[in-house]
Amino acid sequence: MSKEHLAIANIPMQDYGEIYDDKKALCTGTIFEALDMPFFATDIEKGNKKSALFGTEKKLPEQEEREQLMTQITEVSFVIDDLTLYLDTHGDEAQALSLFEQKLTERETLKKQFAEKFYPLTRECIPYCGKKEDGRFCWQTGPMPWEGACV
Amino acid sequence: MWQYEKRLQFPVKITKTCPKTAQMIISQYGGPDGELSASMRYLAQRYTMPVKAVGGLLTDIGTEELAHMEIICAMVYQLTKDLTIEEAKTAGFDAYYIDHTTALWPQAAASVPFTALEFQSKGDAIADLTEDLAAEQKARTVYDNLLRMITDPEVREPLKFLRTREIVHFQRFGEALEKTKDQLDSKNFYYFNPEFDKDKFHGKL
């Protein structure tokens, strides 16, 4: 596997290595420290990152809570996204597999909570929807993802 | 089968209208190295991949690219949703406005419409995976160029996220190529096409 060959691309297989926590992983774009290779033009921003991503304006408590839960879902889901691709090429990596399963369980719980309190993110969440308006179909409740209403 | 989840893979909340920025970013929707092109490339190539795990990887990355397309579209939408006609005229968004108002339409920054000619599905695993490696690099360069020009942090954060994804995908396609090579003769990877000469690939000869 590690042997290099002529006249074809050779890419070393990645080792599992150091893993970022959920928040840092989403912010960076990968859970793997070894694949975090920023562009020089982004060096200047260090320090003011948080205020840039999350607005400082006053929010209603419900909005605050919804954004917190949505942020957690986004972070956990991203860890799963990145681990999926890693496991596609490292199917027998036990550490990755165990983190993957742990995050899947976390995600299910969070999605259920989100549906109970706010609106369903997937069709599977519809039965948990707490805000059924007179028995109406609740799939269309909540803002569309591109409206920027959450965060 | 695909299922929709009502959230973005990375949050987008842009509060300042800027048609000029929208005009640049739209290239990652419908441009030559854009997310739509990436998704269609991988989802087209996967059917005939000789190594099953590589077909699986193409499916997963092709799916993630659809989510990236949605992030880019959300950015273009939020950058132009409160557009005034004066802003459209002065920011060079006027030609786009005439044809599409503020709706989303896949085109490159230089107004060239999206076309399937931007990617290839060659039916040769080594050729296709090598194209995929190059595609991720070209998309990374677009994000580099955008990050040089755009100063609004609300726009930069998702762009930085997407840029890192290109690097991660490059690594995974490299690993997929290694997995394909493992099943071929390392003295001559090009003796036959594993995607077409199936008897030779499965060692029946």
Side-chain angles (χ1 to χ4, degrees):
Chain A
M1 183 91 51
S2 56
K3 198 162 165 269
E4 300 214 334
H5 299 100
L6 291 178
I8 196 160
N10 300 284
I11 308 280
M13 294 297 286
Q14 184 202 334
D15 293 327
Y16 191 61
E18 292 299 314
I19 296 294
Y20 287 151
D21 65 40
D22 298 5
K23 190 175 277 310
K24 175 125 197 231
L26 180 71
C27 209
T28 309
T30 181
I31 63 168
F32 301 106
E33 194 186 290
L35 294 178
D36 179 8
M37 302 174 185
F39 187 47
F40 84 93
T42 60
D43 287 349
I44 37 155
E45 304 162 0
K46 282 196 180 104
N48 58 6
K49 212 172 256 177
K50 199 170 186 300
S51 58
L53 195 53
F54 302 102
T56 47
E57 78 271 29
K58 204 91 193 102
K59 287 166 188 164
L60 295 170
E62 180 178 296
Q63 171 80 357
E64 192 95 46
E65 195 190 351
R66 194 179 73 180
E67 291 192 6
Q68 252 172 25
L69 200 50
M70 180 62 112
T71 301
Q72 269 181 290
I73 292 172
T74 305
E75 287 167 355
V76 162
S77 304
F78 176 65
V79 173
I80 294 170
D81 291 343
D82 209 17
L83 277 174
T84 302
L85 303 189
Y86 182 81
L87 284 163
D88 280 344
T89 54
H90 301 73
D92 48 10
E93 174 88 47
Q95 257 182 303
L97 203 54
S98 120
L99 183 62
F100 182 79
E101 283 169 9
Q102 180 201 322
K103 292 294 164 189
L104 272 187
T105 314
E106 277 179 42
R107 186 176 125 88
E108 281 316 299
T109 312
L110 289 167
K111 270 169 58 191
K112 186 166 178 271
Q113 269 180 32
F114 196 87
E116 284 165 353
K117 287 189 177 162
F118 307 109
Y119 56 91
L121 293 176
T122 65
R123 287 180 304 177
E124 276 70 20
C125 297
I126 292 176
Y128 308 123
C129 192
K131 290 199 170 170
K132 288 204 187 73
E133 298 148 16
D134 314 321
R136 272 173 58 97
F137 189 49
C138 63
W139 182 226
Q140 298 295 353
T141 52
M144 290 316 246
W146 51 86
E147 295 290 352
C150 246
V151 160
Chain B
M1 176 63 189
W2 272 268
Q3 293 211 32
Y4 192 60
E5 186 159 322
K6 281 170 72 172
R7 62 175 187 90
L8 298 180
Q9 191 192 24
F10 189 92
V12 174
K13 186 172 189 176
I14 299 169
T15 46
K16 283 193 277 302
T17 299
C18 185
K20 187 76 216 159
T21 302
Q23 177 85 23
M24 293 192 273
I25 285 176
I26 205 166
S27 226
Q28 281 308 83
Y29 178 23
D33 308 308
E35 304 291 356
L36 175 57
S37 173
S39 182
M40 294 303 109
R41 174 187 298 112
Y42 308 145
L43 294 179
Q45 290 176 354
R46 66 190 172 136
Y47 298 92
T48 48
M49 273 293 156
V51 179
K52 193 174 154 234
V54 175
L57 179 73
L58 284 163
T59 304
D60 290 337
I61 298 185
T63 301
E64 188 182 331
E65 305 291 8
L66 287 175
H68 294 176
M69 184 181 83
E70 190 184 32
I71 293 173
I72 293 292
C73 289
M75 293 171 80
V76 172
Y77 165 71
Q78 292 180 27
L79 283 162
T80 55
K81 69 173 172 179
D82 296 322
L83 185 77
T84 65
I85 195 69
E86 279 314 309
E87 285 168 328
K89 272 195 245 175
T90 53
F93 197 72
D94 49 351
Y96 185 93
Y97 176 85
I98 296 302
D99 288 332
H100 313 291
T101 320
T102 56
L104 269 290
W105 190 71
Q107 67 162 48
S111 304
V112 180
F114 171 75
T115 152
L117 297 173
E118 283 152 2
F119 63 88
Q120 180 56 294
S121 185
K122 198 70 193 172
D124 177 298
I126 295 174
D128 278 343
L129 287 169
T130 307
E131 159 158 337
D132 301 344
L133 289 168
E136 296 295 332
Q137 291 297 350
K138 289 184 281 182
R140 189 215 10 108
T141 307
V142 177
Y143 287 117
D144 287 356
N145 293 344
L146 288 169
L147 284 164
R148 285 176 200 271
M149 299 191 76
I150 295 165
T151 53
D152 183 351
E154 292 176 336
V155 182
R156 287 170 72 87
E157 287 304 318
L159 293 178
K160 281 157 58 187
F161 170 87
L162 292 166
R163 177 185 177 277
T164 308
R165 297 312 291 157
E166 309 298 342
I167 296 170
V168 174
H169 292 171
F170 178 88
Q171 176 62 29
R172 299 292 166 250
F173 282 131
E175 291 163 350
L177 180 58
E178 295 301 326
K179 285 198 177 297
T180 305
K181 284 158 71 179
D182 281 349
Q183 309 222 0
L184 296 169
D185 178 4
S186 62
K187 287 191 201 73
N188 180 4
F189 291 117
Y190 306 115
Y191 190 57
F192 58 85
N193 174 0
E195 211 160 318
F196 187 74
D197 304 303
K198 298 186 191 78
D199 285 353
K200 287 192 174 60
F201 182 61
H202 296 300
K204 285 180 204 148
L205 247 160

